[in-house]
Every structure is written in C-alpha cells, then in structure tokens.
Amino acid sequence: MTQLHVFDMDGTLLRGAATVELSRYLGSFDAANAVEQAWLRKEISDVDFWDSVRPLWADATETELDEAFAAAAWIDGVREVFADIAARGEHSAVISQSPHFFVRRLEGWGAHHTFGAGVVPGGRSGEDLLLTVQHKVDITLRLLDELGVAESDCVAYGDSTSDVLLFDRLRHTVGVNPAPVLRDRCAVVYEGPDLREAYALGRGLLEQSAANRS
C-alpha cells in the first residue's frame, strides 16, 4: 500500500502568507500586510480580501511571479521532503487557500498534486474561485479514492484554522508550529524551522499505524 502526505502551505511550508510574500517582492508589502491583518481580525470577508490584494500584483509577469516564489520565506527542507516521498513511491499534495498560480509552483519542487484559489493576476474575485476549509477535506478524500489510499495511510501537516476540519477527519496529523486552535487536534506537534523534522514525525505515525495492523 502506498501513502499520501497532505500539506497546508501558508504557515506550514511557508513562513507567513503567500499573498504577503508576493506583495513584499513586488514592493507593496505594507498594503498587503494591512489587508492580511484585517482579514485575520475578521473585519473583511474572503472576497473583500481578494478584491483588496489582487490589484497589488495585477500587472505581475510570469517571471516576476517565479522570482517572488523563489524569494519567499520557505521553511527549511521542503524540496528534500517532497523528494523523499517520491523516492518511496508515495504521494504528496499541497492544499492551500492561497492562489493556485503560486501553490502550483511547488510542483517544480516535487509536489505531486497542488490546489489553491482560482484568483489570478488581472482576473476577478468571487466565492466560486475560493478554496474553503471544507474543500481541504473534500479534496483529500477525493485524492485518497483516486489513488487507492486508505485514510489510515494518510497524514496531514498544518498550522492553523484552515486545517481544523481536515485534522478532525484524519487520524494522523502533524501540527507544524500550530496555532492554539489547532494544537489540541494534532496527533503530534512539531515546533521548529525544518520540515524534515515534522515529516519524520508524520512518518512515525504512519509506521506505527502499519505496525498495529500487522
């Protein structure tokens, strides 16, 4: 049997939010951070958030997006973790509420499946383009079915409110520097700067589960 590793991006693989990192590179950090903080305080809706940040990178070129992605504040060991998963014949997925045009660039680092919001530079906002907390669960369950992987062979890595429903669904969960709202839902917690160490905890959960079934 193969296995599936599901990763959140913002706050888990990335130190911070993709929209803020992108805007930092494009020279509009203060404006993006103000919108991010207002959203975290629940002062604006999800659609209002995207309506506010999209203009900050509406004219960005593909080259600039590539450069912003490469320059972002990634946690240590992301490429190495994806490479190890692939070398074992397992599957990796990144499911994020951030824009898919940013998330999908992780495929170049070895992620097998990526999912994110459908907003694009120069495009529109709308509820139909957003990826919700429930979508994280739905996408994971669909991947498990398509790949023929049991839930007991899946481990999720996350850090915040966007991971709550997925962590409530799955048995094997790793909180990566988790917020208080997620901490009690984690099977194990990792505090530190290196994804390889969090991944080792996830592997331990899967190995223990396999041993218990044998």
Side-chain angles (χ1 to χ4, degrees):
M1 290 292 291
T2 188
Q3 297 170 326
L4 174 65
H5 301 258
V6 179
F7 299 89
D8 173 55
M9 187 178 73
D10 291 8
T12 302
L13 304 182
L14 186 64
R15 297 181 176 99
T19 52
V20 174
E21 289 295 308
L22 178 57
S23 297
R24 185 200 308 276
Y25 185 83
L26 297 174
S28 52
F29 169 79
D30 289 342
N33 190 52
V35 175
E36 177 78 12
Q37 295 306 313
W39 179 76
L40 290 172
R41 294 192 298 267
K42 303 186 183 304
E43 296 172 358
I44 59 175
S45 69
D46 291 348
V47 173
D48 290 337
F49 172 88
W50 292 113
D51 283 341
S52 298
V53 297
R54 278 188 309 101
L56 301 178
W57 28 263
D59 298 323
T61 65
E62 285 297 309
T63 297
E64 288 174 323
L65 295 177
D66 285 340
E67 293 171 347
F69 173 86
W74 298 99
I75 192 172
D76 296 341
V78 174
R79 295 185 196 227
E80 291 83 354
V81 167
F82 288 146
D84 188 75
I85 292 169
R88 295 170 183 268
E90 299 172 1
H91 305 276
S92 61
V94 181
I95 309 175
S96 173
Q97 293 180 302
S98 282
H100 187 236
F101 71 79
F102 195 92
V103 185
R104 68 175 173 78
R105 283 168 160 80
L106 285 166
E107 294 174 17
W109 286 9
H112 294 130
H113 310 274
T114 60
F115 305 86
V119 293
V120 296
R124 66 177 180 87
S125 301
E127 292 283 352
D128 60 311
L129 298 177
L130 305 186
L131 192 150
T132 68
V133 174
Q134 182 60 47
H135 282 138
K136 281 197 168 187
V137 178
D138 297 340
I139 290 169
T140 299
L141 295 180
R142 187 175 76 242
L143 278 176
L144 289 171
D145 182 60
E146 291 174 354
L147 298 171
V149 177
E151 283 190 40
S152 58
D153 290 315
C154 178
V155 58
Y157 307 77
D159 75 298
S160 65
T161 54
S162 71
D163 305 298
V164 165
L165 292 185
L166 184 58
F167 274 43
D168 284 347
R169 174 63 189 242
L170 296 178
R171 183 193 318 167
H172 306 314
T173 56
V174 181
V176 182
N177 302 309
V181 69
L182 195 68
R183 186 172 293 270
D184 290 343
R185 293 175 160 89
C186 305
V188 293
V189 169
Y190 171 71
E191 299 279 2
D194 197 316
L195 186 66
R196 287 164 291 197
E197 297 175 358
Y199 169 63
L201 294 177
R203 293 219 65 86
L205 293 174
L206 293 174
E207 290 164 5
Q208 183 61 51
S209 177
N212 289 343
R213 294 198 302 267
S214 63

